[in-house]
Coordinates of all heavy atoms in Angstrom, one line a residue:
E868 N -67.2 -85.2 -120.9 CA -68.3 -84.3 -120.8 C -69.3 -84.9 -119.9 O -69.6 -86.1 -119.9 CB -68.8 -84.0 -122.2 CG -67.8 -83.2 -123.0 CD -68.3 -82.7 -124.3 OE1 -68.7 -83.6 -125.1 OE2 -68.3 -81.5 -124.6
L869 N -70.0 -84.0 -119.1 CA -71.0 -84.4 -118.2 C -72.4 -84.2 -118.8 O -72.7 -83.2 -119.5 CB -70.9 -83.6 -116.9 CG -69.6 -83.6 -116.2 CD1 -69.5 -82.5 -115.2 CD2 -69.3 -85.0 -115.6
V870 N -73.2 -85.2 -118.6 CA -74.6 -85.2 -119.1 C -75.5 -85.6 -117.9 O -75.3 -86.6 -117.3 CB -74.9 -86.2 -120.3 CG1 -76.3 -86.2 -120.7 CG2 -74.0 -85.8 -121.5
T871 N -76.5 -84.7 -117.6 CA -77.4 -85.0 -116.5 C -78.8 -85.2 -117.0 O -79.3 -84.5 -117.9 CB -77.3 -83.9 -115.4 OG1 -77.7 -82.7 -116.0 CG2 -75.9 -83.8 -114.8
A872 N -79.6 -86.0 -116.3 CA -81.0 -86.2 -116.5 C -81.8 -85.6 -115.4 O -83.0 -85.4 -115.5 CB -81.4 -87.6 -116.7
A873 N -81.1 -85.3 -114.3 CA -81.7 -84.7 -113.1 C -80.5 -84.2 -112.2 O -79.4 -84.3 -112.7 CB -82.5 -85.7 -112.3
A874 N -80.8 -83.7 -111.0 CA -79.6 -83.4 -110.2 C -78.9 -84.7 -109.9 O -79.5 -85.7 -109.5 CB -80.1 -82.7 -108.9
E875 N -77.6 -84.7 -110.1 CA -76.7 -85.9 -109.9 C -75.5 -85.5 -109.2 O -75.0 -84.4 -109.2 CB -76.4 -86.4 -111.3 CG -77.6 -86.9 -112.1 CD -77.2 -87.4 -113.5 OE1 -76.1 -87.7 -113.7 OE2 -78.2 -87.6 -114.3
A876 N -74.9 -86.6 -108.6 CA -73.6 -86.4 -107.9 C -72.6 -87.4 -108.5 O -73.0 -88.5 -108.9 CB -73.8 -86.7 -106.4
R877 N -71.4 -87.0 -108.6 CA -70.3 -87.8 -109.2 C -69.1 -87.7 -108.3 O -68.9 -86.7 -107.6 CB -69.9 -87.4 -110.6 CG -71.0 -87.1 -111.6 CD -71.4 -88.4 -112.4 NE -72.6 -88.1 -113.2 CZ -72.6 -87.7 -114.4 NH1 -71.5 -87.3 -115.0 NH2 -73.8 -87.5 -115.0
T878 N -68.3 -88.7 -108.2 CA -67.0 -88.7 -107.5 C -65.9 -88.8 -108.4 O -65.8 -89.7 -109.3 CB -67.0 -89.9 -106.5 OG1 -68.1 -89.8 -105.6 CG2 -65.7 -89.9 -105.7
L879 N -64.9 -87.9 -108.2 CA -63.7 -87.8 -109.0 C -62.6 -88.5 -108.3 O -62.3 -88.1 -107.2 CB -63.3 -86.4 -109.3 CG -62.1 -86.1 -110.2 CD1 -62.3 -86.8 -111.6 CD2 -61.9 -84.6 -110.3
A880 N -62.1 -89.6 -108.8 CA -61.0 -90.4 -108.2 C -59.8 -89.5 -108.0 O -59.5 -88.6 -108.9 CB -60.7 -91.6 -109.0
N881 N -59.0 -89.8 -107.0 CA -57.8 -89.1 -106.8 C -56.8 -89.5 -107.9 O -56.8 -90.7 -108.2 CB -57.2 -89.3 -105.4 CG -57.9 -88.7 -104.3 OD1 -58.5 -87.6 -104.5 ND2 -58.0 -89.4 -103.2
P882 N -56.0 -88.6 -108.4 CA -55.0 -89.1 -109.4 C -53.9 -89.9 -108.8 O -53.8 -90.0 -107.6 CB -54.4 -87.7 -109.9 CG -54.7 -86.7 -108.8 CD -55.9 -87.2 -108.1
T883 N -53.2 -90.7 -109.6 CA -52.2 -91.6 -109.1 C -50.8 -91.1 -109.4 O -49.8 -91.7 -109.0 CB -52.4 -93.0 -109.7 OG1 -52.3 -92.9 -111.2 CG2 -53.7 -93.6 -109.3
K884 N -50.7 -90.0 -110.1 CA -49.4 -89.4 -110.3 C -49.6 -87.9 -110.7 O -50.7 -87.5 -111.0 CB -48.6 -90.1 -111.4 CG -49.2 -90.0 -112.8 CD -48.4 -90.8 -113.8 CE -49.0 -90.6 -115.2 NZ -48.2 -91.3 -116.2
A885 N -48.5 -87.1 -110.6 CA -48.6 -85.7 -110.9 C -48.5 -85.5 -112.4 O -47.9 -86.3 -113.2 CB -47.4 -85.0 -110.2
G886 N -49.1 -84.4 -112.9 CA -49.0 -84.0 -114.3 C -50.1 -84.5 -115.2 O -50.1 -84.1 -116.4
N887 N -51.1 -85.2 -114.7 CA -52.2 -85.6 -115.6 C -53.2 -84.4 -115.7 O -53.3 -83.6 -114.8 CB -53.1 -86.7 -114.9 CG -52.3 -88.0 -115.0 OD1 -51.5 -88.3 -115.8 ND2 -52.6 -88.9 -114.0
R888 N -53.7 -84.2 -116.9 CA -54.7 -83.2 -117.2 C -56.1 -83.8 -117.4 O -56.2 -84.8 -118.0 CB -54.3 -82.3 -118.4 CG -52.9 -81.7 -118.2 CD -52.7 -80.3 -118.4 NE -53.7 -79.4 -118.7 CZ -53.6 -78.4 -119.4 NH1 -52.4 -78.1 -120.0 NH2 -54.6 -77.5 -119.6
L889 N -57.1 -83.0 -116.9 CA -58.5 -83.5 -117.1 C -59.4 -82.3 -117.3 O -59.2 -81.3 -116.6 CB -58.9 -84.3 -115.8 CG -60.3 -84.7 -115.7 CD1 -60.6 -85.8 -116.7 CD2 -60.6 -85.2 -114.3
T890 N -60.3 -82.4 -118.2 CA -61.3 -81.4 -118.4 C -62.7 -82.0 -118.1 O -63.0 -83.0 -118.6 CB -61.3 -80.9 -119.9 OG1 -60.0 -80.3 -120.1 CG2 -62.4 -79.8 -120.1
L891 N -63.4 -81.3 -117.2 CA -64.8 -81.6 -116.9 C -65.7 -80.5 -117.5 O -65.4 -79.3 -117.2 CB -65.1 -81.7 -115.4 CG -64.3 -82.8 -114.7 CD1 -64.5 -82.7 -113.2 CD2 -64.7 -84.2 -115.2
R892 N -66.7 -80.8 -118.3 CA -67.6 -79.8 -118.9 C -69.0 -80.3 -118.9 O -69.2 -81.5 -119.3 CB -67.1 -79.5 -120.3 CG -67.9 -78.5 -121.1 CD -67.3 -78.3 -122.5 NE -68.2 -77.5 -123.2 CZ -69.2 -78.0 -124.0 NH1 -69.4 -79.3 -124.1 NH2 -70.0 -77.2 -124.7
L893 N -69.9 -79.5 -118.6 CA -71.4 -79.9 -118.6 C -71.9 -79.7 -120.1 O -71.9 -78.6 -120.6 CB -72.2 -79.0 -117.6 CG -73.7 -79.4 -117.5 CD1 -73.8 -80.9 -117.0 CD2 -74.4 -78.5 -116.6
K894 N -72.2 -80.8 -120.7 CA -72.6 -80.8 -122.1 C -74.1 -80.7 -122.2 O -74.6 -80.0 -123.0 CB -72.2 -82.1 -122.7 CG -72.6 -82.3 -124.2 CD -72.2 -83.6 -124.7 CE -72.7 -83.8 -126.1 NZ -72.3 -85.1 -126.7
T895 N -74.8 -81.5 -121.3 CA -76.3 -81.5 -121.4 C -76.8 -81.2 -120.0 O -76.5 -82.0 -119.0 CB -76.8 -82.8 -121.9 OG1 -76.3 -83.1 -123.2 CG2 -78.4 -82.8 -122.0
D896 N -77.6 -80.2 -119.8 CA -78.1 -79.8 -118.5 C -79.5 -80.3 -118.2 O -80.5 -79.6 -118.6 CB -78.0 -78.3 -118.3 CG -78.5 -77.7 -117.0 OD1 -78.7 -78.6 -116.1 OD2 -78.6 -76.5 -116.8
G897 N -79.6 -81.4 -117.5 CA -80.9 -81.9 -117.1 C -81.1 -81.6 -115.6 O -82.1 -81.9 -115.0
G898 N -80.1 -81.1 -115.0 CA -80.1 -80.8 -113.6 C -78.6 -80.5 -113.2 O -77.7 -80.9 -113.9
D899 N -78.4 -79.9 -112.0 CA -77.0 -79.7 -111.6 C -76.3 -81.0 -111.3 O -76.8 -82.0 -111.0 CB -77.0 -78.9 -110.2 CG -77.6 -77.5 -110.4 OD1 -77.9 -77.1 -111.5 OD2 -77.7 -76.8 -109.4
C900 N -75.0 -80.9 -111.6 CA -74.1 -82.0 -111.4 C -73.0 -81.6 -110.4 O -72.3 -80.7 -110.6 CB -73.4 -82.5 -112.7 SG -72.4 -84.0 -112.5
T901 N -73.0 -82.3 -109.2 CA -72.0 -82.0 -108.2 C -70.9 -83.1 -108.2 O -71.2 -84.3 -108.1 CB -72.7 -82.1 -106.8 OG1 -73.7 -81.1 -106.7 CG2 -71.7 -81.7 -105.7
V902 N -69.7 -82.6 -108.5 CA -68.5 -83.5 -108.5 C -67.7 -83.3 -107.3 O -67.4 -82.1 -106.9 CB -67.7 -83.2 -109.8 CG1 -66.4 -84.0 -109.8 CG2 -68.5 -83.4 -111.1
T903 N -67.4 -84.4 -106.6 CA -66.6 -84.3 -105.4 C -65.3 -85.0 -105.6 O -65.2 -86.1 -106.1 CB -67.4 -85.1 -104.2 OG1 -68.6 -84.5 -104.1 CG2 -66.6 -85.0 -102.9
A904 N -64.2 -84.3 -105.1 CA -62.8 -84.8 -105.1 C -62.3 -84.9 -103.7 O -62.2 -83.9 -103.0 CB -61.9 -83.9 -106.0
A905 N -62.1 -86.1 -103.2 CA -61.7 -86.3 -101.8 C -60.5 -85.5 -101.3 O -60.6 -84.9 -100.2 CB -61.4 -87.8 -101.5
N906 N -59.5 -85.4 -102.1 CA -58.3 -84.6 -101.7 C -58.4 -83.2 -102.1 O -57.4 -82.4 -102.0 CB -57.0 -85.3 -102.2 CG -56.6 -86.5 -101.4 OD1 -57.0 -86.6 -100.3 ND2 -55.7 -87.3 -102.0
G907 N -59.5 -82.7 -102.6 CA -59.7 -81.3 -102.9 C -59.4 -81.0 -104.4 O -58.9 -81.8 -105.1
L908 N -59.8 -79.7 -104.7 CA -59.7 -79.2 -106.1 C -58.8 -78.0 -106.2 O -58.5 -77.5 -107.2 CB -61.1 -78.8 -106.6 CG -62.0 -80.0 -106.8 CD1 -63.5 -79.5 -107.0 CD2 -61.6 -80.8 -108.1
N909 N -58.4 -77.5 -105.0 CA -57.5 -76.3 -105.0 C -56.9 -76.1 -103.6 O -57.1 -76.9 -102.7 CB -58.4 -75.0 -105.3 CG -59.6 -74.8 -104.4 OD1 -59.6 -75.4 -103.3 ND2 -60.5 -74.1 -104.9
V910 N -56.0 -75.1 -103.5 CA -55.3 -74.9 -102.3 C -56.2 -74.5 -101.1 O -55.9 -74.7 -100.0 CB -54.2 -73.9 -102.4 CG1 -52.8 -74.4 -102.3 CG2 -54.3 -73.0 -103.6
A911 N -57.3 -74.0 -101.4 CA -58.3 -73.6 -100.4 C -59.0 -74.8 -99.8 O -59.6 -74.7 -98.8 CB -59.4 -72.6 -101.0
G912 N -58.8 -76.0 -100.4 CA -59.4 -77.2 -99.8 C -60.8 -77.5 -100.3 O -61.5 -78.4 -99.7
N913 N -61.3 -76.7 -101.3 CA -62.7 -77.0 -101.8 C -62.7 -78.4 -102.4 O -61.8 -78.8 -103.1 CB -63.1 -76.0 -102.8 CG -63.2 -74.6 -102.3 OD1 -62.5 -73.7 -102.7 ND2 -64.1 -74.4 -101.4
T914 N -63.7 -79.2 -102.0 CA -63.8 -80.6 -102.5 C -65.0 -80.8 -103.4 O -65.0 -81.9 -104.0 CB -64.0 -81.5 -101.3 OG1 -65.2 -81.1 -100.6 CG2 -62.8 -81.5 -100.3
Q915 N -65.8 -79.8 -103.6 CA -67.0 -80.0 -104.5 C -67.1 -78.9 -105.6 O -66.8 -77.7 -105.3 CB -68.3 -80.0 -103.7 CG -68.4 -81.2 -102.9 CD -69.8 -81.3 -102.3 OE1 -70.4 -80.4 -101.9 NE2 -70.3 -82.6 -102.1
A916 N -67.5 -79.3 -106.8 CA -67.7 -78.3 -107.8 C -69.1 -78.6 -108.4 O -69.5 -79.8 -108.6 CB -66.7 -78.5 -109.0
V917 N -69.9 -77.6 -108.5 CA -71.3 -77.7 -109.0 C -71.4 -77.1 -110.4 O -71.2 -75.9 -110.6 CB -72.3 -77.1 -108.1 CG1 -73.7 -77.3 -108.6 CG2 -72.2 -77.7 -106.7
F918 N -71.7 -78.0 -111.4 CA -71.9 -77.6 -112.7 C -73.4 -77.4 -112.9 O -74.2 -78.3 -112.8 CB -71.4 -78.7 -113.7 CG -69.9 -78.9 -113.6 CD1 -69.4 -79.7 -112.5 CD2 -69.1 -78.4 -114.5 CE1 -68.0 -79.9 -112.4 CE2 -67.7 -78.6 -114.4 CZ -67.2 -79.4 -113.3
A919 N -73.8 -76.1 -113.2 CA -75.3 -75.8 -113.3 C -75.8 -75.5 -114.7 O -76.9 -75.6 -115.0 CB -75.6 -74.6 -112.3
D920 N -74.9 -75.0 -115.5 CA -75.2 -74.5 -116.9 C -74.4 -75.2 -117.9 O -73.2 -75.4 -117.7 CB -75.1 -73.0 -117.0 CG -76.0 -72.3 -116.0 OD1 -77.2 -72.6 -115.9 OD2 -75.5 -71.4 -115.2
V921 N -75.0 -75.4 -119.1 CA -74.2 -75.9 -120.2 C -73.0 -75.1 -120.5 O -73.1 -73.8 -120.5 CB -75.1 -76.0 -121.5 CG1 -74.3 -76.3 -122.7 CG2 -76.2 -77.0 -121.3
G922 N -71.9 -75.7 -120.6 CA -70.6 -75.0 -120.9 C -69.8 -74.7 -119.6 O -68.6 -74.4 -119.7
D923 N -70.4 -74.9 -118.4 CA -69.5 -74.8 -117.2 C -68.4 -75.8 -117.4 O -68.6 -77.0 -117.7 CB -70.4 -75.2 -116.0 CG -71.3 -74.1 -115.6 OD1 -71.3 -73.0 -116.2 OD2 -72.1 -74.2 -114.6
Q924 N -67.2 -75.4 -117.1 CA -66.0 -76.2 -117.3 C -64.9 -76.0 -116.3 O -64.7 -74.9 -115.9 CB -65.5 -75.9 -118.7 CG -64.3 -76.7 -119.1 CD -63.9 -76.4 -120.6 OE1 -64.8 -76.5 -121.5 NE2 -62.7 -76.1 -120.8
L925 N -64.3 -77.1 -115.9 CA -63.1 -77.0 -115.1 C -62.0 -77.7 -115.9 O -62.2 -78.8 -116.3 CB -63.2 -77.7 -113.7 CG -64.1 -77.0 -112.7 CD1 -64.1 -77.9 -111.4 CD2 -63.6 -75.6 -112.4
D926 N -60.8 -77.1 -115.9 CA -59.6 -77.7 -116.5 C -58.7 -78.0 -115.3 O -58.4 -77.1 -114.5 CB -58.9 -76.8 -117.5 CG -59.8 -76.6 -118.7 OD1 -60.2 -77.6 -119.3 OD2 -60.0 -75.5 -119.1
L927 N -58.3 -79.2 -115.1 CA -57.6 -79.7 -113.9 C -56.2 -80.3 -114.2 O -56.1 -80.8 -115.3 CB -58.4 -80.7 -113.1 CG -59.8 -80.4 -112.8 CD1 -60.6 -81.6 -112.3 CD2 -59.9 -79.3 -111.7
I928 N -55.3 -80.2 -113.3 CA -54.0 -80.9 -113.4 C -53.8 -81.6 -112.1 O -54.1 -81.1 -111.0 CB -52.9 -79.9 -113.8 CG1 -51.6 -80.7 -114.1 CG2 -52.6 -78.9 -112.7 CD1 -50.5 -79.9 -114.8
S929 N -53.2 -82.8 -112.1 CA -52.9 -83.5 -110.9 C -51.5 -83.0 -110.3 O -50.6 -82.7 -111.1 CB -52.8 -85.0 -111.1 OG -51.9 -85.3 -112.1
V930 N -51.5 -82.8 -109.0 CA -50.3 -82.3 -108.3 C -50.1 -83.2 -107.1 O -51.0 -83.8 -106.6 CB -50.4 -80.8 -107.9 CG1 -50.6 -79.9 -109.1 CG2 -51.6 -80.6 -106.9
S931 N -48.8 -83.2 -106.6 CA -48.5 -83.9 -105.3 C -49.2 -83.3 -104.2 O -49.4 -82.0 -104.1 CB -47.0 -84.1 -105.1 OG -46.4 -82.8 -105.0
H932 N -49.5 -84.1 -103.1 CA -50.2 -83.6 -102.0 C -49.7 -84.4 -100.8 O -49.1 -85.5 -101.0 CB -51.7 -83.8 -102.2 CG -52.6 -83.3 -101.1 ND1 -52.6 -82.0 -100.7 CD2 -53.5 -84.0 -100.3 CE1 -53.5 -81.9 -99.7 NE2 -54.0 -83.1 -99.5
T933 N -49.9 -83.9 -99.6 CA -49.4 -84.6 -98.4 C -49.9 -86.1 -98.3 O -49.3 -86.9 -97.7 CB -49.8 -83.9 -97.1 OG1 -51.2 -83.7 -97.1 CG2 -49.1 -82.5 -97.0
T934 N -51.1 -86.4 -98.9 CA -51.6 -87.7 -98.8 C -51.6 -88.4 -100.2 O -52.4 -89.3 -100.4 CB -53.1 -87.7 -98.2 OG1 -53.9 -86.9 -99.1 CG2 -53.1 -87.2 -96.8
G935 N -50.7 -88.1 -101.0 CA -50.6 -88.6 -102.3 C -50.7 -87.6 -103.4 O -49.8 -86.7 -103.5
Y936 N -51.8 -87.6 -104.1 CA -52.0 -86.6 -105.2 C -53.4 -86.0 -105.1 O -54.3 -86.7 -104.6 CB -51.7 -87.3 -106.6 CG -50.4 -87.8 -106.7 CD1 -50.1 -89.1 -106.4 CD2 -49.3 -87.0 -107.1 CE1 -48.8 -89.7 -106.5 CE2 -48.0 -87.5 -107.2 CZ -47.8 -88.8 -106.9 OH -46.5 -89.3 -107.0
R937 N -53.6 -84.9 -105.7 CA -54.9 -84.2 -105.7 C -55.0 -83.5 -107.0 O -54.0 -83.2 -107.7 CB -55.2 -83.3 -104.5 CG -54.3 -82.1 -104.5 CD -54.8 -81.2 -103.4 NE -53.9 -80.0 -103.3 CZ -54.0 -78.9 -104.1 NH1 -54.9 -78.9 -105.0 NH2 -53.2 -77.9 -104.0
W938 N -56.2 -83.0 -107.3 CA -56.5 -82.2 -108.5 C -56.3 -80.7 -108.1 O -56.6 -80.3 -107.0 CB -57.9 -82.4 -109.1 CG -58.0 -83.8 -109.6 CD1 -58.7 -84.8 -109.0 CD2 -57.5 -84.3 -110.8 NE1 -58.6 -86.0 -109.8 CE2 -57.8 -85.7 -110.9 CE3 -56.7 -83.8 -111.8 CZ2 -57.4 -86.5 -111.9 CZ3 -56.3 -84.6 -112.9 CH2 -56.7 -85.9 -112.9
E939 N -55.8 -79.9 -109.1 CA -55.7 -78.5 -108.9 C -56.4 -77.8 -110.2 O -56.1 -78.2 -111.3 CB -54.2 -78.1 -108.9 CG -54.0 -76.6 -108.8 CD -54.3 -76.0 -107.4 OE1 -54.2 -76.8 -106.4 OE2 -54.6 -74.9 -107.3
I940 N -57.2 -76.8 -109.9 CA -57.9 -76.1 -111.0 C -56.9 -75.2 -111.8 O -56.3 -74.4 -111.2 CB -59.1 -75.3 -110.5 CG1 -60.1 -76.3 -109.9 CG2 -59.7 -74.5 -111.6 CD1 -61.2 -75.5 -109.1
L941 N -56.9 -75.4 -113.1 CA -56.1 -74.5 -114.0 C -57.0 -73.4 -114.4 O -56.6 -72.2 -114.4 CB -55.6 -75.2 -115.2 CG -54.5 -76.3 -114.9 CD1 -54.2 -77.1 -116.2 CD2 -53.2 -75.6 -114.4
T942 N -58.2 -73.7 -114.9 CA -59.2 -72.7 -115.3 C -60.6 -73.1 -114.9 O -60.9 -74.3 -114.8 CB -59.2 -72.4 -116.8 OG1 -59.5 -73.6 -117.5 CG2 -57.9 -71.8 -117.3
N943 N -61.4 -72.1 -114.6 CA -62.8 -72.3 -114.2 C -63.6 -71.5 -115.2 O -63.6 -70.2 -115.0 CB -63.1 -71.9 -112.7 CG -64.5 -72.1 -112.3 OD1 -65.4 -72.3 -113.1 ND2 -64.7 -72.1 -111.0
T944 N -64.3 -72.1 -116.1 CA -65.1 -71.4 -117.1 C -66.6 -71.5 -116.8 O -67.0 -72.6 -116.5 CB -64.8 -71.9 -118.5 OG1 -63.4 -71.9 -118.7 CG2 -65.5 -71.1 -119.6
G945 N -67.3 -70.4 -116.9 CA -68.7 -70.4 -116.7 C -69.0 -70.1 -115.2 O -68.2 -69.4 -114.6
S946 N -70.0 -70.7 -114.7 CA -70.4 -70.4 -113.3 C -70.2 -71.6 -112.4 O -71.0 -71.8 -111.4 CB -71.9 -70.0 -113.3 OG -72.7 -71.0 -113.8
T947 N -69.2 -72.4 -112.6 CA -68.9 -73.6 -111.8 C -68.7 -73.1 -110.4 O -67.7 -72.4 -110.1 CB -67.8 -74.4 -112.3 OG1 -68.0 -74.8 -113.7 CG2 -67.6 -75.7 -111.5
A948 N -69.5 -73.5 -109.4 CA -69.4 -73.1 -108.0 C -68.6 -74.1 -107.2 O -68.8 -75.3 -107.4 CB -70.8 -72.9 -107.4
L949 N -67.7 -73.6 -106.4 CA -66.9 -74.5 -105.5 C -67.3 -74.4 -104.1 O -67.7 -73.3 -103.6 CB -65.4 -74.0 -105.7 CG -64.8 -74.1 -107.1 CD1 -63.4 -73.5 -107.0 CD2 -64.8 -75.4 -107.7
S950 N -67.2 -75.5 -103.4 CA -67.4 -75.5 -101.9 C -66.6 -76.5 -101.3 O -66.0 -77.4 -101.9 CB -68.9 -75.7 -101.6 OG -69.3 -77.0 -102.1

């Protein structure tokens, strides 16, 4: 769960194998939290997710990618914005 005291940035490491599941959820909103994943979060190639409100949540699974592995969004709950 994510907790912010102000606007913050976090980096999500690339997975090391396929099939891992990860949930990111904003628990305490002291400011927006921008999470960046170098190999992307979806097939569209979005690399950033902004969690702005308590309860914003991404459920992710790791998948193979041309440069190793990347995260893929299973569900996007709330107003988590992608770019």
Side-chain angles (χ1 to χ4, degrees):
E868 291 185 305
L869 304 167
V870 174
T871 59
E875 298 179 14
R877 313 267 173 90
T878 301
L879 180 60
N881 291 326
T883 57
K884 64 180 182 177
N887 289 332
R888 302 232 4 212
L889 175 68
T890 298
L891 298 174
R892 179 179 171 271
L893 187 60
K894 177 181 178 183
T895 305
D896 181 9
D899 291 357
C900 185
T901 301
V902 176
T903 302
N906 280 342
L908 293 165
N909 56 20
V910 249
N913 296 117
T914 58
Q915 292 188 326
V917 179
F918 297 78
D920 300 310
V921 169
D923 285 357
Q924 177 175 311
L925 289 180
D926 294 306
L927 308 166
I928 189 165
S929 59
V930 296
S931 60
H932 182 60
T933 56
T934 59
Y936 300 94
R937 69 173 176 80
W938 294 105
E939 178 75 28
I940 296 170
L941 294 171
T942 58
N943 180 346
T944 305
S946 59
T947 304
L949 303 174
S950 62

